[in-house]
Amino acid sequence: MTAGPTLSLEQIQGLVRRAQQGDNAAFEQLVELYKTKIYNYALRMLGDPDTAEDVAQETFIKAYSSLSSFRGAAAFQTWLYRIASNLAIDTVRRRKYRQNTFSLDEPIETSDGPIERDIEDDAAGPERRFESAQLQQQVSQAIVQLSPKLRTVLVLYELQGLSYDEIAGIVGAPLGTVKSRLFNAREQLKKILVDEVDVETFR
Amino acid sequence: MRCRDARKQLGTHNYVEYNPEDLPEPLRTHLDLCPACRRWMERIRAVSDMVRSMAQPKPSDDFTSRVMGSLPKRSVSPVGNWLSGLFGPLRAPSPLLPATHTIAVACLVLALLVGGGLYAARTGSSVDLDMPGGAIVADGATPVTAAASVAVGMSHFRPVSASQPDVLGLEDLILRHENYEMNKPLSTDPGIRLVRDVGY
């Protein structure tokens, strides 16, 4: 889970007010506070670091342009996530991010070149297996196979650690819908991962 | 209890995060008796754990500087703040929907134009504005003519430039003469007044 801002709510509100009055240094502090959260959210939504960085940057630029319309009724964080969520979903749709189905036989593309998938045997400890880059990649690939709505709720809840209420505010859906989507997301993710990897071996 | 109902309840209420002994009845009893549902729940939990354990990388080192270097110019003026406050309640919840704000401002401009146009029409002209075939004649091409045309709300009034004298017929000149004292400018542009349309 991403570490949250170390400033108090009042301090963050103060930064927002200053930024609204044209203080760019205050806005810069807000970017510093939230950049890792927003970037990770975009990364898990899109599965691609470069696109995630673009979407995260665009989120802050949009937020800056819309600062005057932020009234503080919602937490600044919720507001930022809402912008990021809209941008990420737009990106998914615009670029027609197809479900990234993959085969365990396919090599994984990394910055250091393609590497072969190496599914470790059961003799290895579960912690070690889980920490492997290959598995992280597989989970990441599985997440982007979910529909954008399910993906949004899953990432916000499981990875970003937001509450149901916050997520409901971000996606603009009732609490029950959020819970239902989370359940469906987990269920679908389970199916995807069980098809590709025996999920039980990672417990 | 059927497995299907049990799983639906487990999922809907997020009971998968509960310890089995904390589950309400009859779910607890069902899980005690149903190995398939226990296995199902364990798998769902495993998926959650896998997602939660994913790495949380940081963005590039120059992320903040690139954002700050890409910020658009933003003017913070008292008028802007006042308008923003005025239309605050009308705003859409999403900051990515600036259309509502634009529409609100457009409504204000339209209201001012209509109001101004009606006021000018009531106080400044004896010409029947509803009379078909009317035209707004301007001494020069100006955006005000189009705006006034919209303001009076009649599509059959059209802006005509006086620099094109051939559009004025004899009937128009007579009417203009007769109503010269009574016709007052429709807008602040002294070159705009109403005459009969001659069909051009």
Side-chain angles (χ1 to χ4, degrees):
Chain A
M1 207 167 291
T2 313
T6 52
L7 298 182
S8 69
L9 185 63
E10 289 74 21
Q11 286 174 313
I12 293 170
Q13 287 172 339
L15 285 176
V16 173
R17 272 195 300 275
R18 281 170 48 202
Q20 284 177 317
Q21 291 160 4
D23 184 345
N24 278 10
F27 186 76
E28 190 170 357
Q29 278 187 267
L30 290 169
V31 176
E32 276 294 319
L33 280 172
Y34 290 106
K35 67 179 182 183
T36 304
K37 279 188 167 192
I38 297 298
Y39 169 70
N40 272 278
Y41 171 68
L43 178 63
R44 298 310 171 198
M45 284 294 290
L46 302 164
D48 167 32
D50 291 336
T51 314
E53 185 126 340
D54 288 345
V55 165
Q57 286 190 21
E58 187 66 19
T59 298
F60 287 106
I61 293 167
K62 288 260 184 191
Y64 181 83
S65 303
S66 308
L67 264 179
S68 61
S69 70
F70 176 70
R71 280 287 170 272
F76 186 71
Q77 173 176 282
T78 305
W79 190 68
L80 268 186
Y81 271 120
R82 197 184 303 158
I83 297 173
S85 182
N86 288 339
L87 285 172
I89 291 173
D90 282 351
T91 304
V92 170
R93 289 175 180 159
R94 190 172 57 245
R95 299 191 181 181
K96 296 184 178 176
Y97 264 72
R98 298 191 58 212
Q99 293 186 345
N100 290 325
T101 54
F102 63 96
S103 160
L104 293 179
D105 296 331
E106 281 178 4
I108 301 167
E109 293 298 329
T110 70
S111 55
D112 298 327
I115 57 171
E116 294 297 323
R117 292 178 193 276
D118 183 16
I119 307 300
E120 298 175 57
D121 60 31
D122 289 339
E127 287 183 7
R128 183 179 170 186
R129 277 197 299 273
F130 189 65
E131 286 167 2
S132 71
Q134 289 96 330
L135 183 60
Q136 295 257 337
Q137 181 77 4
Q138 285 174 323
V139 177
S140 180
Q141 297 266 17
I143 291 173
V144 294
Q145 291 185 55
L146 301 174
S147 74
K149 283 183 178 177
L150 298 188
R151 208 183 308 172
T152 301
V153 173
L154 182 87
V155 172
L156 289 175
Y157 186 83
E158 303 283 29
L159 273 165
Q160 304 288 308
L162 302 190
S163 68
Y164 290 130
D165 284 330
E166 276 182 292
I167 297 172
I170 291 166
V171 302
L175 220 56
T177 305
V178 171
K179 289 181 179 179
S180 170
R181 284 182 191 170
L182 179 63
F183 169 62
N184 289 332
R186 284 170 168 163
E187 181 82 329
Q188 287 191 22
L189 200 61
K190 177 179 75 68
K191 284 178 185 166
I192 295 167
L193 289 170
V194 167
D195 286 346
E196 301 288 351
V197 183
D198 185 358
V199 71
E200 287 183 306
T201 63
F202 301 110
R203 286 197 60 79
Chain B
M1 184 176 219
R2 291 187 306 174
C3 291
R4 188 177 164 184
D5 297 331
R7 292 178 191 186
K8 190 176 178 182
Q9 279 199 38
L10 285 166
T12 306
H13 300 289
N14 206 22
Y15 286 142
V16 290
E17 293 184 351
Y18 284 43
N19 290 321
E21 58 268 23
D22 296 331
L23 290 172
E25 292 295 353
L27 274 176
R28 187 174 161 184
T29 303
H30 180 83
L31 281 181
D32 281 344
L33 300 173
C34 180
C37 281
R38 277 204 305 275
R39 181 181 162 89
W40 175 88
M41 190 161 156
E42 281 172 7
R43 284 184 163 186
I44 291 282
R45 284 182 171 178
V47 166
S48 287
D49 289 346
M50 289 168 74
V51 176
R52 288 179 188 185
S53 301
M54 290 182 79
Q56 301 270 327
K58 290 184 176 179
S60 59
D61 291 340
D62 60 348
F63 182 91
T64 303
S65 60
R66 280 198 281 154
V67 168
M68 297 309 291
S70 305
L71 295 181
K73 298 286 180 192
R74 189 161 54 93
S75 62
V76 180
S77 67
V79 174
N81 286 338
W82 181 82
L83 281 173
S84 180
L86 182 64
F87 292 108
L90 297 174
R91 241 186 354 266
S94 168
L96 298 181
L97 294 173
T100 310
H101 194 257
T102 307
I103 290 169
V105 174
C107 286
L108 174 66
V109 172
L110 189 63
L112 288 173
L113 285 172
V114 171
L118 290 175
Y119 176 78
R122 280 188 169 200
T123 58
S125 173
S126 62
V127 175
D128 184 4
L129 292 177
D130 288 327
M131 183 172 58
I136 299 169
V137 177
D139 290 331
T142 163
V144 178
T145 57
S149 180
V150 172
V152 295
M154 292 163 207
S155 59
H156 51 266
F157 284 99
R158 62 178 179 81
V160 178
S161 171
S163 63
Q164 299 170 303
D166 56 334
V167 303
L168 297 175
L170 180 61
E171 192 180 8
D172 300 287
L173 294 174
I174 294 169
L175 185 66
R176 178 187 279 188
H177 176 72
E178 288 176 349
N179 295 309
Y180 181 78
E181 293 299 324
M182 301 172 71
N183 280 345
K184 290 184 180 175
L186 186 63
S187 75
T188 53
D189 185 339
I192 297 177
R193 49 193 171 273
L194 283 169
V195 294
R196 296 284 305 277
D197 191 353
V198 292
Y200 289 92

